[in-house]
Every structure is written in structure tokens, then in C-alpha cells.
Amino acid sequence: KYFKEIGLQPKGTNGYEQPFKANLDTVHVLDARNVVGFLDNGADRTIVIGAHYDHLGEGYQRGSLIPDSKGKIHNGADDNASGVAGVLELARHFSKNKVKEKHNFLFICFSAEELGLLGSKYYANNPTIDLSTVNLMLNFDMIGRFDPNKAITVGGWGTSPTWGQVIPPVLERDKMAFKIDSAGAGASDHTSFYVKKIPVLFFFTGVHGDYHKPSDDIELINFEGEAKILNSVVGIVNAVDKLPNRLEYRETAMPMARNMSFKVTMGLLLDYSFNGPGIKVDGVSKNRPGEAAGIKGGDLILRLDKYTLNTIYDYMGALGKFEKGQTVEAEVQRGADKLTLPVTFK
């Protein structure tokens, strides 16, 4: 409704909506929908601006960090009503600023992020515009707890060499302390666009004690702080809009899982929505053990050495058993073929 009020074109498959099926687990399937609006400036490049609007509901789905969560409302004010508010405000700004930028804008509110980035992945695999025109994807996830004494995280820094040129002047002008995360992939919706070789930026004010708990509520949101972040984002978008050429995409290192450390890695980006058997590979980093072994995007890894893999946690547990210099067998399903590939950890 809001997208219509501010004059955005519907860019779903059913008006502004893009319905899809979300697998809650191997048995339960939910009806979900992304909400998509388009600001057509007649340009040959487009900027995607998105945030997920789902959270944990009444605590029945996985993800709550309190015991006995069932029946307790999780409003998700920071995660991620704050991000959705950012998308809506930027949609209002760019549609009402009486400026015709050299980019079109596609605004998307994603569903089913908490189930494994399902909404953004569905959109990226079933786009309603030509993804080859997308110059940049901006993602907002938890931007409501800005603390002026702490730095905001800007993720995706390594996905384009241009970020080091255009972002610091804007944030320094706005006296915004920031820290960078170079990875293009992570536990939010920008990942789905990064794997399509699109430069991304991810804005995040940090994890807090109310994360995935009923206490993540509106009284704790720093509205003025979020407005300051969005003002800086407008500055970054304006700087990108003035560039004569498209952004250059660069592949980045894969992020490590939080709170886990490994002596070895394979350099794989995994599909967190896949429900087994095996783990599904979405992407492979260059010059890493996975690529050297011949693993490709779309492969299912069924086994590493003696460890059967059915979940991401099985995979992380197996990695913790290996040492640098060790070679192990990976049993891989590729289409109808089963392969055994040697993985040497370096």
C-alpha cells in the first residue's frame, strides 16, 4: 500500500507481491511473499534497496534465544522493523526528491529471511527485472540501535574497489564512526545478490542482549540514530550515482561462522535454506581448497572423510576435526552423478 501511495510501480508477480513457498522444515511449507516496488528513472542501471520484514512471530519457529519461547510475541523492532523502516524512508526520499537520478531504484521487503534468506534467494533466482542492470544492492538488517560511541558496521566493503573511494568521505562528513567487513556473503539478504556477482553493502548497528528475544521492542530503538544512518546512505547513493561507470565487482573471502574457529576452511558459500540430505554449495571462492578439489556451485556434499553431512552444523563440526596439510575425501552429488573428490587443506 505504501509503495503505491508514493508512486512506485508494482514489480512483483502479483502486483507488488511476489508469492513463494517457504520450507519451514522437511515437512512444513509456508506461503510467503516478497513486496517489490520500482522507481523507473529511465536509466540503464538499477540500485536494489532491501530489508527483510519477517521475524520470529510467537516463538514457535526456530531462532528464539529464550527458553520456552512458544506463545511469546517477538516483535523484532530492531530485527528487522528498523531495516524495513529504512527501506520505506529511502523509497519516499528518492520518489519525492524531485531529482531524476541516473539509476532506477528497486525496493524490496523480503520474507523468510529468518528461515535461511529464502525470500531474497527466491527473488535473486526469479527476478522481475534484468539483474544484469543492477549496479548495487543495499541491505539493512538491524540498524535501530545506533550508539554514537560505537562504530556502525559497513559490510560488503570488499565487493567493489570503489567503496574505499566513495564511502569514507561521506561518513567522515557526517561524523559517523564506522568499521568495515569485507565479506560479500553473510547471514543476511545481501548474500543472495552477492552470489549473482553484484556489489553489495550491508548496514548493521550490532548485536545486543535483546537479539531474537521478546524484549527487542520499539522503546529501545534510536530513531534519531537511524535517521543519521539513512542520511549517510543517501550521500553514498548520490556519490555512486555520479560515477561515470558501473561499479566493478570483486569476489571476497567467505566469512567464518560466528563464535566458531577452525584451523582449516574450504572457501564455500552454503545454501542455509537447504534441508538435506547433504549440504548445498551456492558458491566457491577462488584459490581455496574447495575450488582446488573441483567442487562447484550447485553440488551437494554428502560426506567429508568419515563424517556424514546433513546440516550446516555437521559441516562445521567436521571442519573442526581436520588439520592443515591433511587430505580427505569429499563425497559429492552433482546432478545424477556421485563423485569422490580429494580435498587438501592448506
Side-chain angles (χ1 to χ4, degrees), residues 279-292:
I279 57 169
K280 187 175 182 180
V281 179
D282 257 355
V284 184
S285 288
K286 293 180 180 178
N287 304 316
R288 302 294 297 279
E291 184 193 50

Side-chain angles (χ1 to χ4, degrees), residues 34-251:
N34 297 322
V35 182
V36 191
F38 187 62
L39 176 59
D40 187 356
N41 284 328
D44 58 3
R45 304 176 199 168
T46 297
I47 294 174
V48 176
I49 298 178
H52 75 90
Y53 71 87
D54 64 303
H55 191 52
L56 305 182
E58 294 185 344
Y60 288 95
Q61 73 181 58
R62 62 182 182 267
S64 178
L65 295 181
I66 63 165
D68 191 24
S69 65
K70 294 180 179 178
K72 297 177 181 177
I73 295 174
H74 294 61
N75 282 323
D78 188 30
D79 184 18
N80 188 36
S82 68
V84 173
V87 171
L88 297 180
E89 173 56 18
L90 291 175
R92 184 203 63 79
H93 171 82
F94 287 111
S95 63
K96 301 297 183 182
N97 64 355
K98 298 181 180 179
V99 175
K100 193 170 186 178
E101 289 85 4
K102 293 184 292 184
H103 286 77
N104 310 311
F105 292 91
L106 187 73
F107 299 95
I108 313 179
C109 295
F110 301 109
S111 186
E113 187 267 359
E114 300 288 2
L115 296 177
L117 318 185
L118 301 188
S120 58
K121 182 171 184 179
Y122 184 84
Y123 185 86
N125 288 333
N126 302 273
T128 57
I129 66 168
D130 182 356
L131 285 188
S132 69
T133 68
V134 177
N135 196 26
L136 161 65
M137 191 276 176
L138 294 166
N139 180 37
F140 303 102
D141 197 345
M142 298 176 63
I143 58 169
R145 296 290 191 94
F146 176 71
D147 183 341
N149 298 313
K150 296 181 181 179
I152 183 174
T153 297
V154 181
W157 191 274
T159 63
S160 178
T162 306
W163 295 144
Q165 302 167 29
V166 302
I167 296 176
V170 173
L171 297 185
E172 289 166 6
R173 176 203 70 187
D174 295 342
K175 298 181 180 179
M176 176 83 71
F178 67 97
K179 58 184 178 181
I180 64 173
D181 179 353
S182 292
S188 194
D189 291 308
H190 55 286
T191 300
S192 301
F193 292 82
Y194 166 73
V195 299
K196 299 297 184 181
K197 301 189 181 303
I198 295 169
V200 299
L201 287 176
F202 167 51
F203 295 88
F204 174 58
T205 53
V207 175
H208 44 75
D210 304 297
Y211 174 71
H212 278 202
K213 297 177 182 177
S215 53
D216 179 10
D217 225 329
I218 191 170
E219 293 82 4
L220 300 172
I221 297 298
N222 181 347
F223 294 100
E224 291 183 359
E226 178 162 348
K228 184 175 181 179
I229 292 168
L230 296 176
N231 183 65
S232 295
V233 170
V234 169
I236 293 168
V237 170
N238 289 340
V240 170
D241 196 59
K242 293 175 183 176
L243 296 174
N245 301 313
R246 287 179 62 100
L247 294 169
E248 178 186 345
Y249 167 86
R250 284 191 179 172
E251 189 174 276

